[in-house]
Amino acid sequence: MQVISVREQPEYMTQIIDYFQKKWGTPESNKVYENCIEHSVSTTNSLPHWYVLMEHEQIIGCAGLITNDFISRMDLYPWLCAVYIEPAKRGNHYFKYLLDKAIEDTRKGGFTHLYLSTDLEGYYEQYGFAYVDTGYHPWGEHSRIYSIRL
């Protein structure tokens, strides 16, 4: 298993953009992923970061580390976003590889907490996340907010 950070290995940029677009994008939002991932490589800011999880040169998952996940609690950051593990690979705790890399980069950025928004209950708690609050999205939905202290 290998976590690839587009910032650390920009030669994977095209593959990473394509994967995020396929898993999370829509025709309306694909440009958002492309533009954000492209600009994450050259920024001197501590955020954003975009990761894929590779197994035998095949991408099997992804996650991002961003300033806000389209949620009302803009006072909280950074956010783990766009977490995805291929269905055939779920149940193997592969998310932990992505989480460990995101925590490493969160600490390097000088942050003490990492947040995520989700509708899942009972999954992220296995990895040390605790429920914080409910957050609201611009499209009218709400999600549970979790944090982990680093």
Side-chain angles (χ1 to χ4, degrees), residues 55-68:
E55 180 183 53
H56 308 298
E57 298 302 313
Q58 179 181 355
I59 298 175
I60 64 164
C62 64
L65 184 61
I66 60 176
T67 57
N68 187 273

Side-chain angles (χ1 to χ4, degrees), residues 24-66:
W24 291 106
T26 64
E28 297 81 18
S29 69
N30 280 341
K31 198 67 173 168
V32 172
Y33 286 103
E34 178 184 346
N35 193 256
C36 186
I37 293 169
E38 284 177 349
H39 287 91
S40 72
V41 172
S42 59
T43 186
T44 57
N45 295 327
S46 60
L47 299 169
H49 288 274
W50 298 94
Y51 315 106
V52 291
L53 182 60
M54 304 277 285
E55 180 183 53
H56 308 298
E57 298 302 313
Q58 179 181 355
I59 298 175
I60 64 164
C62 64
L65 184 61
I66 60 176

Side-chain angles (χ1 to χ4, degrees), residues 1 55 85-97 123 127:
M1 248 0 100
E55 180 183 53
I85 300 292
E86 291 292 335
K89 300 296 183 176
R90 293 177 187 169
N92 296 302
H93 300 284
Y94 290 155
F95 164 67
K96 182 83 165 90
Y97 292 99
Y123 180 74
Y127 297 95

